[in-house]
Amino acid sequence: MHSTLIASAAALAFSLTAHAARSTDSGQRLYRTGLLSTGAPVRATVEGDVAVTGRQLSCATCHGQSGMGSIEGRKVVPPIAAPFLSTARPLRSRARPPYTDAALIRAIERGVDPAGNTLDPLMPRYQLPKADAEALVGYLRQLSAKPSEGVEGKTIHLATVITPGTRASERAAMLKVLETFFRQKTANAVDHRSRQITSWPEFYGDWALHVWELHGPPNSWRRQLEAQYRAQPVFALVSGLGGDSWQPVDDFCQARQLPCLMPNVDTPPALGDGGTARYLSGGTAVEAAAIASRLARDGTGSVLQVVGKDAASERGADALADALTRRGTDVRLTTTRVTDGEAIARRARELGADALVIWLDADELGPLGSGVSVPTYFSATLLRGDLALARALAPTTGIVAQPFEPASSAEVRFRRVGSWLASGAIPSTPDVRRIQDQTFFALTVLSEGFMHMKHNLLRDYLLEGVDHFSGLENFSAYYPHLTFGPGQALLSKGCYLVSLRDENHPEWIVP
């Protein structure tokens, strides 16, 4: 009998835990997507009597996934994260006491706070079944209730990831920038605490850098990253260095809901909006979109594209095919993997190609042959910004798709970062300047993000802050056309097309 009672109690406890987990999941889905537990979109009224329905009614649309609120036009959307709901709040009319569960449901459904104040008319008055209302309240009670993982006391743990096959010079350059920046931040934090200065929230906490170097094939990286994370959870990934593949790292970040800020990856994975990674540019994918735009504008009939061996080359070729299809052009696209210059020229003549698109890096790219006289597009990403070989092969017909700033203007804009490097006695050579600049920019964005968060150290809140930044393009020498937006993975949306016949007047295209 005794063992039966124990078993029954254990079964009941398990059932209650499972029910609580399902309720939390249901509340989270309602909060983030505006979908009820049945899968139907939530219904509500706004502005008194305007009936609305759909996913745009999700709480996160206005209050953010963190629940920390936002600014919508001239409207300040207040925070509804757990710490703010559970404490009293002074208001212009009547001070609001802490929310009880019943008061929360009344506010959600009727738009009245615990003090009897009427909420803004733009705040939807939701029509919720009892179970969904309770699930939403349960989720709000734990939303952003404590700092995200990776924060221990005054220490904020951050990691950078380095994949196999990266260049030793770039690895050293990136790490030197990271280590110097972290050392300065921590020194400032100690100094401000010792002087009891509290007006500089960006200096809150000691930044601890963890370097996660991966080894072996990409299919083993996820396991390595999980092991590193279990040993020491981190708040975010900052910068990083990747070669052919970054997909396993991106997958890890999405699964862990871990911010990943501007790794040095020339061609990031295929991305949708709403993830936790932010990349500077789409690399060969955005190059392909810009080339497709030019081909369509010029009325090009037949194109031969040459694909190399690495993933960035494959990505560019696939993206070009997709971009031409989406545009509905009549361009006939033929793909070849022949990389011998004479064979490429012969194939182009056989097809009567009006243009060539070369997705080859400097090691693969050889003489094209004397028979090529059509516009020939090259990838600056694959050539690593070195246009000398493209000039030698197609001095009058060559066009380079380049998603970062041309060297001449980048050199001028680099002076800001160069001064910081010089102050830290960090050497800088042309072959690593873009890595140094991109790494410094990622750290600048992270620092601004911490200033925005103050002491509310929440990953979602960091990303929400980053997504609303403006003016930060002034801190990037190589990407001066940056736009931030909610959930947008790519900050630079365009690409230069540089005619080798007139390199001083590149065309900027936003596909």
Side-chain angles (χ1 to χ4, degrees):
M1 174 67 105
H2 184 65
S3 60
T4 302
L5 288 173
I6 292 176
S8 298
L12 177 61
F14 177 81
S15 175
L16 291 173
T17 301
H19 175 75
R22 286 194 299 272
S23 180
T24 299
D25 291 344
S26 177
Q28 182 185 67
R29 183 169 71 161
L30 178 55
Y31 182 89
R32 293 190 174 189
T33 69
L35 295 178
L36 300 171
S37 55
T38 61
V42 69
R43 295 177 179 274
T45 57
V46 297
E47 295 286 3
D49 59 357
V50 180
V52 288
T53 186
R55 288 177 176 243
Q56 72 273 18
L57 287 173
S58 72
C59 309
T61 299
C62 294
H63 294 280
Q65 286 198 173
S66 66
M68 294 299 295
S70 64
I71 297 177
E72 298 287 336
R74 295 185 177 182
K75 293 285 186 181
V76 176
V77 181
I80 56 171
F84 295 88
L85 295 178
S86 61
T87 55
R89 184 180 179 194
L91 298 174
R92 291 180 185 176
S93 49
R94 287 175 287 182
R96 172 186 63 73
Y99 273 98
T100 63
D101 289 358
L104 257 178
I105 292 176
R106 184 174 72 157
I108 292 166
E109 296 181 340
R110 295 169 50 194
V112 179
D113 78 4
N117 300 306
T118 301
L119 302 180
D120 192 289
L122 286 176
M123 164 71 184
R125 275 53 168 171
Y126 291 95
Q127 301 162 20
L128 295 177
K130 184 173 184 292
D132 288 287
E134 291 174 347
L136 180 57
V137 167
Y139 180 68
L140 291 173
R141 287 299 186 197
Q142 54 88 47
L143 177 61
S144 300
K146 59 183 180 180
S148 298
E149 285 190 306
V151 178
E152 296 177 346
K154 292 193 178 300
T155 300
I156 303 167
H157 295 277
L158 301 156
T160 195
V161 172
I162 302 174
T163 68
T166 54
R167 296 188 175 191
S169 59
E170 293 181 346
R171 175 188 179 279
M174 180 191 74
L175 289 179
K176 188 66 175 176
V177 171
L178 284 167
E179 290 163 356
T180 303
F181 199 99
F182 270 61
R183 186 168 58 251
Q184 290 178 354
K185 277 294 182 184
T186 297
N188 283 331
V190 172
D191 176 61
H192 279 69
R193 288 201 296 269
S194 67
R195 294 162 58 192
Q196 297 184 335
I197 297 175
T198 59
S199 60
W200 290 86
E202 71 270 34
F203 291 123
Y204 173 83
D206 303 325
W207 290 19
L209 176 64
H210 303 271
V211 180
W212 291 354
E213 298 219 38
L214 304 179
H215 307 279
N219 61 10
S220 70
W221 296 353
R222 180 68 179 272
R223 183 172 63 254
Q224 295 176 52
L225 290 166
E226 291 290 355
Q228 293 274 21
Y229 188 89
R230 286 194 299 272
Q232 176 55 68
V234 296
F235 184 83
L237 301 187
V238 59
S239 191
L241 194 58
D244 244 13
S245 176
W246 190 259
Q247 188 70 60
V249 184
D250 190 275
D251 291 342
F252 165 75
C253 291
Q254 305 312 324
R256 285 283 184 181
Q257 291 295 287
L258 188 66
C260 176
L261 299 181
M262 278 71 79
N264 294 296
V265 180
D266 278 334
T267 298
L271 303 163
D273 289 346
T276 63
R278 301 292 180 268
Y279 297 94
L280 280 164
S281 172
T284 53
V286 75
E287 289 175 349
I291 293 171
S293 175
R294 171 69 71 84
L295 294 173
R297 189 183 72 189
D298 292 350
T300 307
S302 176
V303 175
L304 175 64
Q305 70 170 348
V306 183
V307 186
K309 295 178 291 188
D310 65 15
S313 175
E314 294 269 9
R315 178 84 186 284
D318 291 343
L320 180 60
D322 290 344
L324 290 172
T325 299
R326 286 197 307 273
R327 286 180 172 273
T329 67
D330 294 325
V331 175
R332 299 184 304 279
L333 182 65
T334 303
T335 300
T336 181
R337 294 184 180 276
V338 174
T339 58
D340 174 76
E342 291 296 337
I344 292 171
R346 186 168 56 252
R347 183 69 171 131
R349 290 194 297 272
E350 291 170 355
L351 290 168
D354 300 310
L356 276 173
V357 180
I358 309 294
W359 300 110
L360 301 177
D361 62 26
D363 295 332
E364 297 172 305
L365 196 58
L368 291 175
S370 58
V372 176
S373 58
V374 297
T376 303
Y377 294 86
F378 298 90
S379 162
T381 294
L382 294 174
L383 295 178
R384 305 184 70 81
D386 184 357
L387 308 191
L389 189 51
R391 292 190 194 100
L393 295 175
T396 60
T397 61
I399 302 167
V400 179
Q402 181 163 310
F404 41 84
E405 195 74 0
S408 56
S409 53
E411 193 69 25
V412 174
R413 294 175 59 86
F414 187 75
R415 291 172 184 168
R416 181 195 296 267
V417 176
S419 297
W420 180 84
L421 294 172
S423 70
I426 301 174
S428 181
T429 54
D431 61 315
V432 297
R433 278 181 190 152
R434 187 155 65 94
I435 295 294
Q436 291 175 321
D437 184 81
Q438 291 173 173
T439 302
F440 185 82
F441 180 76
L443 290 164
T444 300
V445 170
L446 181 66
S447 183
E448 289 290 315
F450 277 117
M451 182 170 64
H452 166 76
M453 289 189 296
K454 299 183 179 178
H455 297 298
N456 303 298
L457 299 176
L458 307 163
R459 292 172 180 170
D460 285 335
Y461 197 30
L462 170 65
L463 290 173
E464 289 159 11
V466 168
D467 289 347
H468 286 87
F469 285 160
S470 62
L472 289 184
E473 62 272 10
N474 296 319
F475 293 90
S476 173
Y478 289 86
Y479 296 93
H481 306 283
L482 296 175
T483 55
F484 296 79
Q488 294 180 8
L490 300 179
L491 304 187
S492 179
K493 314 296 193 297
C495 176
Y496 288 105
L497 290 182
V498 183
S499 171
L500 298 181
R501 190 168 46 192
D502 183 13
E503 294 184 36
N504 293 324
H505 298 91
E507 179 184 8
W508 176 254
I509 292 179
V510 178

